[in-house]
Amino acid sequence: MAIVGTRTLLLLLIHCSWSGARNSQSLHVRLSHGGWLIGRHLTTHNGRHMRAFMGVPYAVPPLGELRFKAPVAELGWEGERLAVKDAPICMQRDPFRRDMQIEGSEDCLYLNVYTPETISSKNTSLPVMVWFHGGGWQCGAGISSFYGPDFLLDHDVVLVSANFRLGPLGFLSTETLDCPGNNGLKDQLEVLRWVRTNIASFGGNPHSVTVFGESAGGASVTYHMLSEKSRGLLHRGIAQSGTYFNPWAQPAHKGVAARRATKLAALVGCGSSGEWPLKLECLRQKPAEDIVASLYDMFVWDFDPMIPFPPVIEPEHEDAFLTVPPRQAREPHGLELPLLVGATAEEGLLKTAALLNLPQLMDDFKSQFEQVLPVVLNYDHHEDSVQQRITKRIEDFYFKAGHDYDKSNHQNLTDLISDGWFVAGIDEYLRLRLAQRAGPTYVYLFDHKGAASFSEIFKGERNEFYGACHAEELQYLFPIGRELFVSAVPTRKDLELRELMLNLWVSFARTGNPNPANASLNLPVWKPSSSYPVEFVRLGTKADEAAAAPLFRIEAELMQQRVNFWRELQPHLPATQQHNEL
């Protein structure tokens, strides 16, 4: 009896304790539609208390008839909804890790909101930072294990991260009103609308929203600064390693998206001819896994072209996100907004890490250089003679000594991919802003040797440092290294750089100016770029741990000789993508 009584009492106490936690005022939030969310208590890396509301639906699950359609806003619910864990990631297949696995769910349109439990400043309405992840619009997720609040919520901000549809499920387009496309970007737009409507309930300021992202997430930021649908929904942007001028991010050339949709339909057994309504009806009946698996059949060489399903130019209709090619857009509304934009020093390791460590792939690359390079760099829509001339100019600039590169001599090869995929497009976006007398534009270059590198993720060898790889800066803003680099211990300089970057990013989100109010950091003033040569900040150091190297340096002439080469080459490169296999 005593044992039974004790157990009953213990269960009663646990129930009462849980009931009290559920009814905590700080963990109860009422949304605009009248329904309630019940969040959970978490602590940051430094032990600060925060509230987390996870797996919050912002749109109706895009299933059945809603597949390949624009998102439908979540109408809400009555009563309480528990929001204490991540929702499934959007269904995907990751080509960057060379992953054959398909993971995730179609029912994935959810977001997470993180906010301090108590606010250290007198201002009770906090700046909002909305994160859109990278992954080439093909993979990635906004989940807490990668893009959690552990570092950023040591500061007074509200952080929102979100899933959005990827690959053919998010970007398939028939180039007709049957399926105009850009649904992944429209998912992001729905997130921003949700933030405008609901974020005040979490203590966030709907009039102080900074959208930030990396790679395709960075390009997404610039798309929202272009699309009229996003006007007024964001007030600052941070574009890390991506703009819509990068070749992989540009809208597909007219006809390409429809041909790829036709190819996909044939691959999954929905025919290669016939009217689009019938083919789309068939596609909506197919398992989502079959549609996602078809992504790998769109590649021509290795995993190139890098993004088979990029954004598209839509036919005019009420819900269109993008109807004009970016280079033809007149005075995009986002030009007037403050922008923080930059790259890593060796972006190209996203591709070359695998080339350097998979001998057969490197041999194939070298032996078929003239055929492969146009596919990799997105100029294979030209006639063969034009492709050959472009390839020869690139070869003469980067490989004067010939194709003798390997692990110990890869810099020119990595620079080529860095410039062709990232630096040239970012430079073009800078030129657009500086020519238009746009809002303040702050430029950085991340150039740091840390305890861990993303080149490992892209098939580079562990314990070898090739440079500051694409995505390298993410581990200083988010706890992404906790899952990816479990055996790496951050160095003292890593920790100092993390604190520095968090202060810079949060200061920009708060004021549109990255110069932190924290005087103890003792930094030189970071001025916005206004003309060429571009003044920029170099973040990090590749010096040994014992060296007294600064982590914040103001410099000029950002890769000047290399960007000049691509400016001269640009008239010969595509304004939009097209590929010969289609």
Side-chain angles (χ1 to χ4, degrees), residues 166-380:
L166 303 165
L169 291 174
F171 289 88
L172 183 117
S173 171
T174 64
E175 299 184 61
T176 67
L177 293 179
D178 302 291
C179 178
N182 293 329
N183 289 322
L185 290 171
K186 293 170 184 175
D187 292 344
Q188 296 177 359
L189 177 64
E190 197 60 46
V191 170
L192 296 181
R193 288 170 172 164
W194 186 96
V195 167
R196 177 183 59 187
T197 302
N198 293 289
I199 206 65
S201 298
F202 299 86
N205 183 352
H207 306 294
S208 180
V209 175
T210 298
V211 179
F212 69 133
E214 184 268 343
S215 195
S220 297
V221 171
T222 60
Y223 270 119
H224 287 290
M225 297 174 79
L226 170 67
S227 174
E228 281 298 311
K229 294 292 185 183
S230 303
R231 182 187 286 269
L233 297 177
L234 70 160
H235 310 94
R236 286 167 291 280
I238 302 177
Q240 302 170 210
S241 300
T243 76
Y244 53 57
F245 284 139
N246 293 108
W248 45 264
Q250 292 176 33
H253 186 82
K254 185 175 177 59
V256 171
R259 289 195 290 273
R260 288 182 179 164
T262 299
K263 182 176 180 178
L264 185 148
L267 286 168
V268 300
C270 288
S272 57
S273 60
E275 298 297 321
W276 275 120
L278 292 177
K279 283 193 283 190
L280 287 168
E281 182 180 353
C282 177
L283 284 168
R284 291 188 175 106
Q285 302 300 318
K286 296 295 180 179
E289 291 85 353
D290 292 354
I291 291 171
V292 172
S294 71
L295 173 71
Y296 277 29
D297 293 302
M298 299 292 170
F299 297 120
V300 179
W301 179 82
D302 191 38
F303 290 106
D304 295 290
M306 184 168 64
I307 301 179
F309 292 96
V312 295
I313 304 303
E314 301 175 51
E316 291 283 353
H317 64 106
E318 184 179 357
D319 296 324
F321 182 85
L322 185 67
T323 58
V324 177
R327 288 192 177 99
Q328 297 177 20
R330 295 183 178 180
E331 299 181 359
H333 70 92
L335 289 182
E336 65 189 36
L337 303 179
L339 177 71
L340 180 64
V341 60
T344 69
E346 281 83 25
E347 296 274 7
L349 286 167
L350 172 64
K351 183 70 179 180
T352 60
L355 289 173
L356 298 173
N357 286 280
L358 301 177
Q360 185 176 351
L361 186 64
M362 177 64 93
D363 291 344
D364 197 37
F365 179 78
K366 289 183 177 181
S367 65
Q368 300 189 65
F369 184 79
E370 288 191 358
Q371 294 75 39
V372 165
L373 196 67
V375 176
V376 173
L377 296 183
N378 299 92
Y379 62 90
D380 60 323

Side-chain angles (χ1 to χ4, degrees), residues 29-37 75-81 198:
V29 169
R30 191 175 190 182
L31 301 184
S32 60
H33 55 66
W36 292 82
L37 285 176
L75 296 178
W77 54 86
E78 293 182 1
E80 298 175 345
R81 180 188 178 101
N198 293 289

